[in-house]
Amino acid sequence: MIDLSSLTHIAFDADDTLWGHEHVFVDAKKRCLELLSPYMKPGMDLEQELYAFERKNLKIFGYGVKGFTLSMIETAVELSGGKIPGSAIQQIIDLGKEMLTHDIELLPGVREALTALKPHFKLLLITKGELFAQESKIARSGLAAEFDIIEIVSEKDPVTYQNLLDRHGIDPAGFLMLGNSLRSDVLPIVEIGGRAAHLPYEYTWHHEAVNEEEAAAGYWRPEGGLGELVQAVLKGL
Amino acid sequence: MIDLSSLTHIAFDADDTLWGHEHVFVDAKKRCLELLSPYMKPGMDLEQELYAFERKNLKIFGYGVKGFTLSMIETAVELSGGKIPGSAIQQIIDLGKEMLTHDIELLPGVREALTALKPHFKLLLITKGELFAQESKIARSGLAAEFDIIEIVSEKDPVTYQNLLDRHGIDPAGFLMLGNSLRSDVLPIVEIGGRAAHLPYEYTWHHEAVNEEEAAAGYWRPEGGLGELVQAVLKGL
């Protein structure tokens, strides 16, 4: 565990931290693969091919559902040798639309955590993705009013975080970030002198003593998830 | 003409103000219509149908090229009765990719205007669109370093502008916005007490005396475009 005293600002990642998100992509991929299976030649690894298109297109489309949908269509055209019927293309587009409008389900304890922290700290939401899609999700989540600052960024690297904190006059020394991604939410924050807690989306890791390597890395992964973190932060007041 | 003294901040719209943009959509639509014409039934108004899909999808996809590309595909599937071949779908996706990676051509006088204004004012770039696509265009334009503040927004209405100015501690009374769109760049700024100049993308309007209605509306449309505006602003120093 890390020192949680002298905090002024607490920031939350959104997708898979405030609400479930990855499952939307997992479900969509599964349905896309089912949809395409009749048009594929034997021995094709659909998932592998889709991933290859996603990766190739990332630098043109960026992150997000619309680019992912275009990559699904491209995979369908390529792997079917152009024989994919229009009706299947339309089903893929409809799948993309469902992904963009699905209900937002808050993760357990999120609303309680925000309510408990709000009187004591400035709360930020920092999320990566497409502006319109993220704004739509924040609106649908009903959580917008809980945050003092909402920032949508296209990358989550140390420079982006540093600029964001500078822009708002926030001292990293009083800043705690919570998120499900080590790479995007935790390590860059530690790098710029802030504190971070790792809240994996699926609690699949072994319940075990805090790993020395993690403690040395300057962040905390509370075994009890968000609830334990909130209690610890409030104790630090 | 409006009073141009006591300015502290000058903001530029990007698409069709700093660089040409609309022509990219116009060209893409033209090529899409050519591409689809063999699969259409007689009497169909392709452009009308594409526009109908664009409008219907706007609240799901938002603005931007990726949503536009998905709308082109949807139009193609629908109007061909599902008979559009995969090769044509791929060509539409390639069209979208070209739109996302095309060369940025600065409009005449833009670089000179920024160079002339930079020593005297804080310069802002305020653009509407998708985060990733806009950031990519700003990077490709080579203009990022010219601006003190760059903001990408999903809507350009009075509330968005007011929040943006508040966030940066900018007094609207010292703020001038330049842009090609009356609805997005000019009228909302006048509404929140700022000043605005209208620089239509295509200089198609009649050269005539300043319209009384415009003067009363509190913004200026310099006959000589950006160059005339910069001269007038510098005179106001």
Side-chain angles (χ1 to χ4, degrees):
Chain A
M1 178 172 169
I2 54 174
D3 171 36
L4 290 168
S5 64
S6 311
L7 291 171
T8 56
H9 293 76
I10 300 183
F12 290 78
D13 167 55
D15 289 335
D16 295 331
T17 298
L18 297 176
W19 51 72
H21 171 69
E22 185 57 29
H23 73 88
V24 175
F25 274 84
V26 171
D27 289 354
K29 264 181 210 176
K30 195 163 153 260
R31 286 172 58 194
C32 180
L33 299 184
E34 284 167 11
L35 189 64
L36 298 186
S37 60
Y39 312 106
M40 301 295 121
K41 299 194 188 91
M44 275 177 176
D45 185 340
L46 261 177
E47 189 151 7
Q48 203 59 39
E49 295 287 337
L50 175 55
Y51 183 62
F53 274 105
E54 272 186 85
R55 282 197 54 167
K56 187 167 65 89
N57 289 335
L58 192 64
K59 64 178 183 300
I60 301 175
F61 294 148
Y63 298 97
V65 170
K66 286 178 285 183
F68 175 69
T69 306
L70 287 166
S71 290
M72 286 197 287
I73 295 172
E74 222 176 341
T75 308
V77 169
E78 170 86 6
L79 290 199
S80 69
K83 291 188 179 60
I84 188 89
S87 57
I89 298 284
Q90 184 61 52
Q91 283 177 279
I92 296 174
I93 294 178
D94 291 341
L95 202 51
K97 289 183 182 178
E98 277 179 50
M99 294 175 77
L100 286 167
T101 52
H102 70 89
D103 287 340
I104 300 295
E105 289 175 27
L106 298 188
L107 293 178
V110 161
R111 196 174 285 281
E112 296 78 0
L114 295 173
T115 303
L117 297 172
K118 197 172 164 53
H120 306 290
F121 305 96
K122 291 271 182 199
L123 299 184
L124 294 83
L125 186 162
I126 306 177
T127 180
K128 180 175 80 175
E130 293 178 293
L131 206 49
F132 184 85
Q134 291 290 331
E135 284 181 352
S136 165
K137 280 201 276 193
I138 294 165
R140 281 181 284 142
S141 76
L143 293 181
E146 305 301 315
F147 295 96
D148 298 285
I149 294 170
I150 293 176
E151 289 275 358
I152 301 165
V153 296
S154 66
E155 262 310 330
K156 278 186 160 178
D157 51 23
V159 173
T160 307
Y161 281 115
Q162 185 69 62
N163 288 342
L164 193 158
L165 266 58
D166 287 349
R167 209 160 60 236
H168 292 287
I170 300 172
D171 182 353
F175 182 81
L176 172 70
M177 173 98 190
L178 319 181
N180 71 297
S181 166
L182 269 184
R183 198 167 71 94
S184 300
D185 305 317
V186 172
L187 299 179
I189 297 296
V190 173
E191 191 172 329
I192 64 166
R195 283 172 274 181
H198 185 209
L199 302 172
Y201 177 38
E202 303 277 330
Y203 288 83
T204 48
W205 79 94
H206 297 294
H207 284 244
E208 55 189 2
V210 175
N211 182 312
E212 289 302 323
E213 196 181 327
E214 280 171 19
Y219 65 88
W220 184 35
R221 186 191 287 159
E223 260 191 71
L226 184 58
E228 184 181 355
L229 182 96
V230 170
Q231 289 311 314
V233 164
L234 293 176
K235 267 189 205 153
L237 277 174
Chain B
M1 178 173 170
I2 54 174
D3 171 35
L4 289 168
S5 64
S6 312
L7 290 172
T8 57
H9 293 77
I10 300 183
F12 290 78
D13 168 55
D15 289 334
D16 295 331
T17 298
L18 296 177
W19 50 72
H21 171 70
E22 184 57 29
H23 72 89
V24 175
F25 274 85
V26 171
D27 288 355
K29 264 182 212 178
K30 193 160 155 265
R31 286 171 58 195
C32 179
L33 299 184
E34 283 166 11
L35 190 63
L36 297 186
S37 60
Y39 313 106
M40 300 296 121
K41 300 194 187 91
M44 275 178 176
D45 185 341
L46 261 175
E47 190 152 6
Q48 203 60 38
E49 294 288 336
L50 175 56
Y51 183 62
F53 273 105
E54 272 187 85
R55 281 197 53 168
K56 185 167 67 88
N57 289 336
L58 192 63
K59 65 178 181 300
I60 300 175
F61 294 148
Y63 298 97
V65 170
K66 286 178 285 184
F68 176 69
T69 306
L70 287 167
S71 290
M72 284 196 288
I73 296 172
E74 222 176 339
T75 308
V77 169
E78 169 87 6
L79 291 198
S80 69
K83 291 189 180 61
I84 188 89
S87 58
I89 298 285
Q90 185 60 53
Q91 283 176 279
I92 296 174
I93 294 178
D94 291 341
L95 203 51
K97 289 183 182 178
E98 276 179 51
M99 293 175 77
L100 286 166
T101 53
H102 70 90
D103 287 340
I104 300 294
E105 290 175 26
L106 298 188
L107 293 178
V110 161
R111 196 174 284 281
E112 296 77 0
L114 295 174
T115 303
L117 297 173
K118 197 171 165 52
H120 306 291
F121 305 96
K122 292 271 181 198
L123 300 184
L124 293 84
L125 186 163
I126 305 177
T127 180
K128 180 174 79 174
E130 293 178 292
L131 206 49
F132 184 86
Q134 291 290 332
E135 284 182 353
S136 165
K137 280 200 278 192
I138 293 165
R140 282 180 284 143
S141 77
L143 293 180
E146 304 302 314
F147 294 96
D148 299 284
I149 295 170
I150 293 177
E151 290 276 357
I152 300 164
V153 296
S154 65
E155 261 310 329
K156 278 186 159 178
D157 51 23
V159 172
T160 306
Y161 281 114
Q162 185 68 61
N163 288 343
L164 193 159
L165 266 58
D166 287 349
R167 209 161 59 238
H168 293 286
I170 300 171
D171 182 354
F175 182 82
L176 171 70
M177 173 97 190
L178 319 180
N180 71 296
S181 166
L182 268 184
R183 196 168 71 96
S184 300
D185 305 317
V186 172
L187 299 180
I189 297 297
V190 173
E191 191 172 328
I192 64 166
R195 284 172 273 180
H198 185 210
L199 303 172
Y201 178 38
E202 302 277 329
Y203 288 81
T204 48
W205 79 93
H206 297 294
H207 284 244
E208 54 190 4
V210 175
N211 182 312
E212 290 302 323
E213 197 182 328
E214 281 170 20
Y219 65 89
W220 184 36
R221 186 191 286 159
E223 258 189 73
L226 183 57
E228 183 181 357
L229 182 94
V230 169
Q231 291 311 315
V233 164
L234 292 176
K235 266 189 205 154
L237 277 174

